[in-house]
Amino acid sequence: MDSTNATALWDRVVGTQPDPTLWLVVATGVVALAAVLPRRVWLVTRNAITIAHEGGHGLVALLSGRRLDGIRLHSDTSGLTVSRGRPTGLGMILTAAAGYTAPSLLGLGGAWLLAAGHITALLWGATALLAALLVMVRNAFGVLTVVLTGAAFVLVSWLAGPAVQALFAYGVVWFMLLGGVRPAFELQAKRRHGRSGDSDADQLARLTNVPPVVWLLFFHVVSLCSLTGGGRWLLGL
């Protein structure tokens, strides 16, 4: 690739693109909501939230100095991230807290990028994160899920026109914001029926001596505040 093409590519990534009209932004939000609310649909689409959840654990584990051994994504939309390091301390606390908050915070960051007109940067950034995650996935279903998700971003980024890219990007961000809210409520329901097992909230309670219900409240606050703030950015309010 010569310098002219490289410069043009860089300008495309860091440049801004036109926003879709307000009614199209609202329409992508409605479609994302339809991918979150119906249970049968959610059983499929929740895999994308699991990718973000486990990716959040993995990323924070690395940033906090822990050794990431691998990530597994399962067909029942559960996942597991294994890291090595001190079993207690701030690094472990941040790693455990990153899972339920990651989808919503990714959605919030995506909304900020879209509000600034950086649609291409969002698509390419998401593709890079998925590629980095793929290296650490250790089971076949997980590899398939991440590859298919990454392929969708690559195809839209390279082959689709600006309008389709914008609709896809807004739909993805809406889905992260809306889909990031539901898992905490699901965990709350499981805890009410005694089926939460060794959840992230339980792990955090052992690490901090703070009751699991407080950590559950923390997950709710992060997801709902991200939805509120990200939604305002997407709608241009």
Side-chain angles (χ1 to χ4, degrees):
M1 180 182 296
D2 59 37
S3 59
T4 301
N5 290 335
T7 301
L9 184 62
W10 176 252
D11 290 340
R12 178 185 174 189
V13 173
V14 301
T16 59
Q17 294 78 40
D19 298 328
T21 60
L22 179 60
W23 75 269
L24 286 176
V25 173
V26 173
T28 58
V30 172
V31 172
L33 189 62
V36 171
L37 288 182
R39 175 172 172 75
R40 290 186 178 181
V41 178
W42 176 244
L43 291 176
V44 177
T45 59
R46 196 185 191 280
N47 284 290
I49 298 298
T50 303
I51 290 174
H53 180 115
E54 300 304 331
H57 281 313
L59 177 61
V60 174
L62 290 174
L63 293 177
S64 61
R66 299 181 61 81
R67 177 182 174 183
L68 183 59
D69 282 349
I71 295 172
R72 300 179 70 88
L73 306 172
H74 304 135
S75 58
D76 63 354
T77 72
S78 66
L80 176 66
T81 298
V82 179
S83 64
R84 294 184 185 181
R86 288 184 57 195
T88 59
L90 181 60
M92 189 60 202
I93 294 172
L94 293 176
T95 298
Y100 277 94
T101 58
S104 295
L105 294 178
L106 285 172
L108 184 63
W112 176 77
L113 283 173
L114 293 182
H118 294 296
I119 296 172
T120 301
L122 182 142
L123 295 175
W124 284 43
T127 304
L129 288 175
L130 288 167
L133 177 65
L134 182 61
V135 176
M136 298 307 302
V137 175
R138 295 292 183 263
N139 66 318
F141 181 82
V143 170
L144 177 63
T145 303
V146 175
V147 167
L148 290 177
T149 305
F153 278 90
V154 171
L155 290 174
V156 171
S157 300
W158 283 98
L159 301 180
V164 175
Q165 290 185 5
L167 292 177
F168 180 78
Y170 273 82
V172 167
V173 171
W174 272 122
F175 177 74
M176 284 289 109
L177 291 171
L178 293 166
V181 173
R182 184 163 179 172
F185 283 98
E186 292 177 334
L187 177 58
Q188 182 177 344
K190 289 180 179 179
R191 290 192 58 79
R192 188 163 53 245
H193 294 92
R195 296 186 288 107
S196 63
D198 192 23
S199 69
D200 291 354
D202 296 298
Q203 293 181 40
L204 286 163
R206 290 196 300 271
L207 290 167
T208 62
N209 293 320
V210 175
V213 66
V214 176
W215 286 106
L216 184 59
L217 177 62
F218 171 71
F219 297 154
H220 280 308
V221 169
V222 171
S223 63
L224 292 173
C225 288
S226 296
L227 175 58
T228 302
R232 289 178 61 86
W233 271 333
L234 293 176
L235 296 171
L237 301 178

